[in-house]
Amino acid sequence: MIRPQDLLCPKPEGLYCAPGDFYVDPVRPVPRAVVTHGHSDHARAGHGAVLATPETLDIMGERYGAGFAASTQAAAYGEAVARDDVEVTLVPAGHVLGSAQAVVRWKGLTMVVSGDYKRRRDPTCPAFEPVPCDVFISEATFGLPVFRHPDDREEIARLLRSVTQFPERSHIIGAYALGKAQRIIRLLREAGWDRTIHVHGALERLNALYARHGVDLGPLAPATTANKREFAGQIIIAPPSAMQDRWSRRFPDPVAAFASGWMQIRARARQRGVELPLVISDHADWDELTATVDELRPGELWITHGREEALARWAHLHDIPARALALVGYEDEEE
């Protein structure tokens, strides 16, 4: 009888597929890797061969340079790729541009590695696609009942109300450079903000990459000028690290905002000096995690990283065998 661990098993490098001789999102260089998305804790340079979506390969090339792997293979969503006796298919994960779940099939057994994912709509990438499976291998970044994210449109409405209320001040939004920044821009466009959005230089290349892949971000401009008053009433987007350095002092009495699921914890907002916390996350919250597992009803639930114990306990209470893999090396990009 085939056991799930005969197909995928945790190793220090990451999840290893022995029949196909590859790793999924390995945390150190390996001969063959399947990469679910372009965030640096999942997509590292130095592998021998990398299989990923075309968008993820472009992101890795932009971040690490053209020689980030000895060889690459692009797989479109839904395209089955053979790795020895194993079939690998990438399907949308709804996390960021190009993000995918890795569906691994072998001898009638189907295991799905979620990578990072969310279930709510994102105007910058395809929605998460549920895949029936024997084993679902899920993240649990926000795997506690306290994490229930509000509607992102209402969070954007709060931002725009603040801009209206304080027209003499600029608003600087801390947002991770890959995925979150572009999503905030698109949500602002959908909310009717058609003015130029100013961006930190660290975001420009990834913004251009999104545009090349058909994500219309509207008018953008570098957040550079000698005249502070030009930024009154303006929205500026920057990586979180820039919020704490001298760069942010060039703007008139800025309202410091930060877009992250962690902003639900007010103590974190205070520690960062955030005046306007925006609870917008690219990860599934507690309700989305549990609803996904309940929808799939897999034979087993494996949990890769995050708040593993609570989700495993929930699964056991709902008659789904679960185990925490406690994989090391995956951090939340928003932190």
Side-chain angles (χ1 to χ4, degrees):
M1 183 175 179
I2 299 174
R3 305 171 302 167
Q5 55 266 40
D6 294 331
L7 178 56
L8 287 171
C9 66
K11 289 196 171 187
E13 296 88 347
L15 277 173
Y16 178 61
C17 176
D21 189 24
F22 64 84
Y23 290 83
V24 180
D25 289 349
V27 299
R28 62 186 69 167
V30 299
R32 295 208 291 186
V34 174
V35 174
T36 63
H37 66 282
H39 281 141
S40 58
D41 57 334
H42 292 254
R44 290 170 164 83
H47 303 309
V50 171
L51 173 70
T53 63
E55 296 88 348
T56 294
L57 293 177
D58 283 354
I59 289 167
M60 293 179 73
E62 190 66 57
R63 302 188 109 181
Y64 302 129
F68 66 85
S71 67
T72 61
Q73 181 178 357
Y77 289 133
E79 176 185 351
V81 177
R83 283 288 181 266
D84 297 335
D85 294 332
V86 177
E87 179 185 281
V88 180
T89 307
L90 302 179
V91 299
H95 181 54
V96 297
L97 180 70
S99 61
Q101 305 168 78
V103 182
V104 184
R105 295 185 173 97
W106 179 63
K107 295 185 177 180
L109 179 67
T110 300
M111 301 179 73
V112 175
V113 184
S114 73
D116 289 337
Y117 72 98
K118 66 176 177 292
R119 297 302 304 267
R120 59 190 65 196
R121 173 184 172 274
D122 184 333
T124 70
C125 65
F128 177 95
E129 182 179 307
V131 177
C133 55
D134 300 293
V135 180
F136 184 56
I137 305 174
S138 176
E139 64 136 318
T141 301
F142 290 104
L144 290 173
V146 68
F147 291 114
R148 288 182 163 93
H149 301 148
D151 189 317
D152 4 2
R153 293 168 296 184
E154 179 52 36
E155 294 299 280
I156 293 297
R158 289 178 55 237
L159 168 62
L160 293 179
R161 285 196 295 271
S162 181
V163 173
T164 300
Q165 185 177 1
F166 301 107
E168 74 286 0
R169 303 177 69 185
S170 59
H171 281 66
I172 306 178
I173 307 169
Y176 191 66
L178 171 57
K180 183 66 63 64
Q182 296 79 24
R183 182 178 169 206
I184 294 293
I185 293 170
R186 279 301 311 155
L187 289 171
L188 282 165
R189 300 307 186 197
E190 291 183 349
W193 185 268
D194 55 5
R195 295 163 56 183
T196 296
I197 295 173
H198 299 270
V199 297
H200 188 281
L203 307 182
E204 291 179 0
R205 291 196 303 171
L206 286 171
N207 287 344
L209 185 149
Y210 266 67
R212 291 198 300 271
H213 283 278
V215 180
D216 182 11
L217 300 177
L220 304 175
T224 55
T225 184
N227 187 352
K228 283 189 174 185
R229 288 176 295 180
E230 292 181 13
F231 285 103
Q234 300 296 318
I235 293 175
I236 301 119
I237 301 181
S241 59
M243 305 283 288
Q244 307 298 327
D245 63 22
R246 289 188 301 172
W247 177 87
S248 63
R249 299 175 194 169
R250 69 182 66 187
F251 307 108
D253 190 19
V255 174
F258 187 38
S260 168
W262 297 111
M263 288 298 96
Q264 195 163 342
I265 302 175
R266 297 308 181 189
R268 292 205 183 196
R270 289 194 296 270
Q271 288 168 359
R272 288 180 172 272
V274 175
E275 184 175 348
L276 181 63
L278 301 172
V279 186
I280 300 176
S281 176
D282 284 329
H283 295 267
D285 67 7
W286 173 257
D287 289 335
E288 292 166 337
L289 288 167
T290 56
T292 299
V293 176
D294 194 45
E295 177 183 4
L296 295 174
R297 299 299 301 183
E300 292 184 34
L301 172 69
W302 294 4
I303 306 163
T304 57
H305 61 284
R307 278 69 190 164
E308 301 153 319
E309 294 80 7
L311 186 57
R313 176 63 177 160
W314 178 93
H316 287 305
L317 291 173
H318 290 78
D319 300 318
I320 299 172
R323 59 180 291 205
L325 302 183
L327 296 182
V328 176
Y330 302 104
E331 306 294 338
D332 178 27
E333 309 84 16
E334 297 171 354
E335 286 294 285

